[in-house]
Amino acid sequence: MNFVYILQSETNKSKYYYGKTQDLKSRLKQHNSGQSGHTKKYIPWKIVWYGCFESPEKASEFEAYLKTASGKAFLRKRLV
């Protein structure tokens, strides 16, 4: 399965991170251990939403959408 996920920083509740992976638990551990340069400043992170996609292409498309202004509005209104 291909997961698209949204993380929220537990130290700064206004910070979100959007990503995709095939192993959600392992990826969260990477974020919280500082292995990702984009997220290590706001450790620790928690998963606030995730979705499963059979197709890697659909997962990539949805992740890209979440990173747009429209996607961020959708995220705040409907997902978190």
Side-chain angles (χ1 to χ4, degrees), residues 54-70:
E54 285 189 28
S55 159
E57 295 80 19
K58 291 291 183 188
S60 292
E61 289 172 12
F62 192 70
E63 180 199 18
Y65 167 70
L66 287 177
K67 293 178 178 182
T68 67
S70 175

Side-chain angles (χ1 to χ4, degrees), residues 28-59:
L28 180 60
K29 285 179 185 176
Q30 289 175 345
H31 284 295
N32 283 329
S33 67
Q35 294 178 17
S36 174
H38 293 292
T39 59
K40 72 177 172 180
K41 183 176 179 182
Y42 298 105
I43 291 172
W45 293 88
K46 66 179 179 178
I47 297 172
V48 292
W49 181 89
Y50 69 92
C52 299
F53 296 81
E54 285 189 28
S55 159
E57 295 80 19
K58 291 291 183 188

